[in-house]
Amino acid sequence: MTTAIGFIGLGVMGEPMCRNLAKKSGLPVYGFDRADAPLERLAEVGVKRAATLAELAKLCDVIFMALPSGKHVAAVCEGEDGLLAHADARHTIVDLGTSPVEASRELAKKFAARGAQYADAPIARTRQAAEDGTLSVMVGASAANYAKLQPLIATFASDITHCGDIGAGQVVKILNNMVLMETVVALSEALETAKRAGLDPKVVFETLAKGSADSFALRNHGMKAMLPGNFPERAFSTEYARKDISYALDLAKSVNIQLQGAELADKVLGQAIDAGDGDLYWPVIARVLEKSRT
């Protein structure tokens, strides 16, 4: 039985997920983050601060991580005085971020050697979905571990899929992000073509949404970001998006397939970064087409 929950990484997505866990799980929740502000806000719903990873591991048997990349996960788990140093048979460690498949499987083996369980459970959907508790989560775990984690994940997700054993959640999430990014490249092409043809891009996107080109990407990234030119910082950045597309290309290489659409998305994301937009919300790639001339 889970007695206490730890949560590492209280950023844009992590803070609302941790809040939902604290409000709905009925269990003590402890947070760990380098920033003070989210911990101060979460204290209002009963989340207590853990000063170190060692303290978090001592207090909690299930520990969620919502971190920006596989490198951050490795640092938290394998770094000096990281989670691996304190893990034992009572622990279950869960990666909610997008990480390389093989890295996830290797970490799972290292935790297993300590008697601990590991699961990859990357999240999808928007910050608002994290606030509302309506995320989609793709889980890679043993059947027994999934059964244990599912009620906890359900506090911040409305769609939870057991994709298979360790690493399977990451495979599905990486492919999800790949398809999304390729779609946004297509939307960027459509947007700029419509403008140059003298059409109202708002009318074009609204009409696409009524036909077979409709998509989550169109309604969210297209209409809410690309049309108004709204690409804030502290959203999912172009740098992070390119990191995710690199995971897709690495996965493709490992299974001996060339993904030309993913290669194009990687190229466009790289062009946006080279133009100085690496820290902006990643649909800013629309500017690459906007600035192009043939």
Side-chain angles (χ1 to χ4, degrees), residues 13 21 68 91 97 99 101 113 128 148 169 202 211 216 228 266 270 272 279 281:
M13 302 295 278
L21 269 166
H91 287 113
S99 299
V101 178
Q128 189 60 52
K148 174 183 178 180
K202 183 174 184 290
F216 175 92
D266 177 64
D279 292 332
Y281 184 39

Side-chain angles (χ1 to χ4, degrees), residues 88-168:
D88 57 37
R90 70 189 178 87
H91 287 113
T92 299
I93 312 299
V94 187
D95 179 11
L96 296 170
T98 308
S99 299
V101 178
E102 286 307 314
S104 297
R105 289 172 175 160
E106 287 302 312
L107 264 181
K109 290 176 184 176
K110 292 176 181 179
F111 277 105
R114 307 268 312 175
Q117 297 288 318
Y118 190 84
D120 50 295
I123 62 169
R125 295 183 181 152
T126 62
R127 180 179 185 176
Q128 189 60 52
E131 297 279 358
D132 297 340
T134 57
L135 292 167
S136 174
V137 180
M138 306 149 216
V139 184
S142 68
N145 202 16
Y146 174 75
K148 174 183 178 180
L149 293 172
Q150 194 275 341
L152 299 179
I153 295 172
T155 64
F156 54 79
S158 55
D159 290 285
I160 309 168
T161 307
H162 186 203
C163 298
D165 212 337
I166 299 293

Side-chain angles (χ1 to χ4, degrees), residues 225 229-237 279-282:
N230 183 28
F231 310 114
E233 294 186 13
R234 281 195 55 77
F236 194 82
S237 72
D279 292 332
L280 301 184
Y281 184 39
W282 72 272

